[in-house]
Amino acid sequence: MSDRLKDLFATVLSVSAESLSDNSSPENIPSWDSMNAMRLVAAMEAAFNVKLTTIEVMKMRSLAGVRNVLRRKGVDI
Amino acid sequence: MLFNSTVFLLLFLPVTYAVFWLLPTNNSRFGWLTIASYMFYGYWNPSYCVLMAFATVISYVAGLAFRRTDGNGPARRVILITTLCIELALLGYFKYASFSITVVNTALASAGIHHTLPLVNVLLPIGISFYIFHTISYVIDCYIEVVEPTRNPLEFACYVSLFSQLVAGPIVRFWELKKDLEQISTANRRSLMPRAWSFFAIGLAQKVVLADTISSIIDPALKDVSQLSTLSAWLCMLGYTYQLYFDFAGYSNMAVGLGLLFGVHIPQNFNSPYTALNPADFWRRWHMTLSRWFRDYLFVPLVGRGSEKYRIYSATLGTMTLCGLWHGANVTFMIWGAYHGLLLVLYDRSAATWDRVPKRVQRVGTFLLVLLGLTMFRAPNYRYALVLLDRMFRFHSGLPPIALPSLVFFLCIAAGIAHWAPNTFELKHEWSSPILAVITVLFVVSLFLIYAFRNSPFLYFQF
């Protein structure tokens, strides 16, 4: 996973980038709650210059899921 | 059939367990668990089984249909919308028809129109809110392609009907059980056994020893709330706050234990919620599987593509109000849900200030906010809740609850466990002699209480 994505998640979720992995998800990162999930969407849209659909956001249930969605939109991460 | 009943503990569970482990293949185990689960469910009312079977078939067929379509074409959307409409219509009719007609009639009467709609008398099938949420999550997950639709009808029927989680959750998504279901014929009975019985015995004791005992003391006092003294009102609500937690957490622990007995890992539903530091933290710890369901299938679609604060806050309020309504067709539950939505928004607005307060104060403050909300949750109508709040916040003399010393004693034990003890997922569940002795004592005491006094239903069965 690129450092850029990890850093973005670390900033929004107030956790260290080292603590994040592909398996990180709302189930094991307490600060990844509903409101922060939406803040992550806004941050990713701004950082990677993409527009995410509702279904794409619904697919983002782990860092691996986020990476898959962004890659499908052509983001190089 | 209740988990805390003799027919379940002495007949259903031993027979289901013994036959299950004799069966050699995945499909034979799926088939047996499905049959057993339908017997478990049909014990209340056999006609309920037809409804569950219908919801299962509809969702399974939708999954198969998704397999045959690809891309984002209109066919997939039609399958999704049709299936969701059917599932929600089932839930809506059986759970909300009477409530909706009453609301419409009240609105008509207040507008001076004296024509009223005829009331319908529908019996609410136990657990419908839970298994419909299971099937809805499966259909949506198949649609957005985070889960591969199963071809195996027995596997899917087993997932929907699994008796351990059928009538009061936890709400488990298909992808959470898929790996266990695929490996069900190779599950290791011996390695799962200690953890399974430990979870089950602790859950049974939480329900029978703590929740039911507290309930037996406070329920008579809460019948006539207008006679409560201020102290009694607070003690009763404190009692109800612990009763609800140990009733539902106890049920969830029993469900986890039962799942493990059959090789299935059911997720955690409560993570010491009364130690929460703020409302957001509380909802990460309380009925966790329901919170995740509402987050993934309602909150995210409600927010949609925008991420502006007003959209997030209105989606939070809407989601929590519907979460309240999910608990029951009553205005009190809607108010309770909206209250928690408001707490979440207010916390988000003031997190910087709130988080600077000492942690102990944050915990006590959050607990009191939860307790106040539960006055509405406990009340049969909002007038009752207002009287209860009046008894709590304006000084009233009156009689204390009968068996006050017992109530205080059990409140102290409940508080000690809820606020300071590790929860069941934090325990190791390794069977050394002393631990085995404690578990055995808990189990025997619970059985004695069930035989001698009661086997009352779980509070969340009504939802």
Side-chain angles (χ1 to χ4, degrees):
Chain A
M1 176 168 298
S2 79
D3 286 340
R4 240 179 118 197
L5 189 59
K6 264 191 182 178
D7 290 344
L8 185 146
F9 269 67
T11 305
V12 175
L13 301 178
S14 305
V15 295
S16 69
E18 293 75 34
S19 68
L20 296 168
S21 70
D22 268 12
N23 293 326
S24 297
S25 71
E27 277 67 48
N28 51 39
I29 305 284
S31 55
W32 190 339
D33 59 17
S34 305
M35 293 206 191
N36 277 340
M38 292 301 125
R39 292 191 180 103
L40 280 172
V41 171
M44 284 186 286
E45 287 186 335
F48 302 116
N49 196 25
V50 290
K51 280 281 168 208
L52 297 164
T53 66
T54 302
I55 288 175
E56 285 166 340
V57 176
M58 289 175 79
K59 287 181 179 183
M60 294 177 160
R61 294 189 190 163
S62 65
L63 262 179
V66 171
R67 188 172 53 181
N68 284 341
V69 168
L70 290 176
R71 279 185 176 162
R72 281 187 191 176
K73 296 194 81 79
V75 179
D76 183 23
I77 53 168
Chain B
M1 203 181 299
L2 300 170
F3 288 172
N4 53 332
S5 66
T6 49
V7 67
F8 178 84
L9 291 169
L10 301 182
L11 182 66
F12 178 85
L13 186 58
V15 171
T16 308
Y17 182 79
V19 173
F20 175 85
W21 289 102
L22 288 173
L23 297 169
T25 62
N26 276 5
N27 277 340
S28 57
R29 290 185 174 188
F30 292 150
W32 172 243
L33 278 182
T34 304
I35 291 167
S37 297
Y38 271 80
M39 286 168 66
F40 170 85
Y41 192 54
Y43 189 80
W44 277 289
N45 184 339
S47 62
Y48 291 168
C49 293
V50 178
L51 205 59
M52 183 165 69
F54 179 66
T56 305
V57 170
I58 289 288
S59 319
Y60 173 72
V61 170
L64 287 185
F66 283 132
R67 289 188 83 99
R68 294 179 183 193
T69 55
D70 47 34
N72 292 319
R76 291 177 70 81
R77 223 165 296 147
V78 169
I79 296 164
L80 175 76
I81 291 168
T82 308
T83 314
L84 291 187
C85 285
I86 295 170
E87 307 264 16
L88 291 172
L90 284 178
L91 188 61
Y93 177 72
F94 284 98
K95 191 161 181 174
Y96 301 107
S98 301
F99 172 69
S100 306
I101 290 171
T102 307
V103 169
V104 170
N105 284 344
T106 308
L108 288 174
S110 60
I113 301 167
H114 297 293
H115 180 77
T116 56
L117 300 173
L119 288 172
V120 289
N121 189 16
V122 186
L123 197 62
L124 175 67
I126 289 169
I128 189 170
S129 309
F130 289 93
Y131 69 73
I132 290 287
F133 268 34
H134 285 143
T135 51
I136 286 176
S137 70
Y138 173 75
V139 172
I140 295 176
D141 283 354
C142 289
Y143 175 74
I144 65 173
E145 297 174 322
V146 295
V147 72
E148 188 185 350
T150 180
R151 284 198 177 93
N152 188 336
L154 287 175
E155 181 187 41
F156 188 66
C158 179
Y159 156 70
V160 177
S161 65
L162 194 60
F163 68 88
S164 56
Q165 58 179 45
L166 174 59
V167 289
I171 296 170
V172 188
R173 270 85 71 85
F174 184 68
W175 61 264
E176 291 176 294
L177 288 195
K178 192 164 172 43
K179 197 174 167 192
D180 284 341
L181 291 175
E182 283 170 355
Q183 299 173 351
I184 203 161
S185 63
T186 55
N188 188 327
R189 184 171 65 90
R190 283 180 193 278
S191 70
L192 294 170
M193 174 82 94
R195 195 172 168 81
W197 280 112
S198 176
F199 262 96
F200 189 80
I202 292 171
L204 187 66
Q206 286 178 323
K207 161 68 179 163
V208 177
V209 180
L210 282 178
D212 287 354
T213 306
I214 292 172
S215 159
S216 69
I217 301 170
I218 62 170
D219 281 354
L222 284 169
K223 269 189 183 145
D224 189 0
V225 73
S226 64
Q227 297 300 312
L228 287 176
S229 67
T230 301
L231 177 64
S232 299
W234 275 98
L235 283 174
C236 283
M237 273 318 297
L238 196 58
Y240 181 69
T241 306
Y242 292 123
Q243 182 206 344
L244 183 68
Y245 170 57
F246 285 111
D247 189 286
F248 195 23
Y251 176 88
S252 298
N253 283 327
M254 291 165 83
V256 171
L258 289 170
L260 289 171
L261 282 180
F262 298 92
V264 173
H265 293 79
I266 289 174
Q268 185 175 12
N269 215 17
F270 289 90
N271 183 15
S272 308
Y274 293 160
T275 64
L277 294 169
N278 54 62
D281 192 25
F282 174 76
W283 280 101
R284 284 195 290 267
R285 295 166 176 270
W286 176 271
H287 205 172
M288 297 152 75
T289 56
L290 179 73
S291 306
R292 289 175 197 154
W293 196 99
F294 273 102
R295 178 196 65 206
D296 290 343
Y297 304 113
L298 189 63
F299 176 77
V300 170
L302 273 180
V303 175
R305 294 176 61 176
S307 53
E308 301 88 355
K309 279 212 160 171
Y310 81 91
R311 290 180 77 120
I312 295 175
Y313 289 161
S314 51
T316 302
L317 286 169
T319 301
M320 292 308 293
T321 306
L322 287 172
C323 174
L325 190 61
W326 173 89
H327 284 79
N330 196 326
V331 175
T332 52
F333 288 118
M334 289 178 74
I335 296 172
W336 172 79
Y339 166 78
H340 272 279
L342 194 61
L343 289 183
L344 288 169
V345 171
L346 290 175
Y347 169 68
D348 194 69
R349 301 286 300 172
S350 59
T353 311
W354 178 274
D355 292 348
R356 279 202 299 270
V357 172
K359 288 216 170 353
R360 202 170 292 176
V361 178
Q362 289 182 40
R363 283 202 178 94
V364 173
T366 304
F367 179 72
L368 287 175
L369 288 170
V370 169
L371 183 151
L372 287 180
L374 287 178
T375 53
M376 202 54 80
F377 197 91
R378 173 64 175 76
N381 55 62
Y382 72 90
R383 287 187 196 89
Y384 179 105
L386 293 178
V387 174
L388 183 53
L389 286 168
D390 175 68
R391 305 305 288 191
M392 290 167 75
F393 285 99
R394 281 177 48 199
F395 181 76
H396 293 278
S397 56
L399 293 172
I402 301 165
L404 182 65
S406 301
L407 177 59
V408 173
F409 173 74
F410 278 99
L411 287 182
C412 289
I413 294 177
I417 297 171
H419 297 288
W420 292 285
N423 64 58
T424 37
F425 276 79
E426 292 166 335
L427 297 173
K428 287 190 174 168
H429 302 282
E430 288 165 354
W431 276 9
S432 59
S433 300
I435 290 173
L436 190 57
V438 170
I439 288 170
T440 308
V441 168
L442 283 177
F443 192 68
V444 171
V445 168
S446 303
L447 278 184
F448 171 76
L449 288 172
I450 292 168
Y451 276 124
F453 298 109
R454 69 226 163 196
N455 62 335
S456 55
F458 293 88
L459 290 174
Y460 261 67
F461 274 25
Q462 62 189 302
F463 307 141

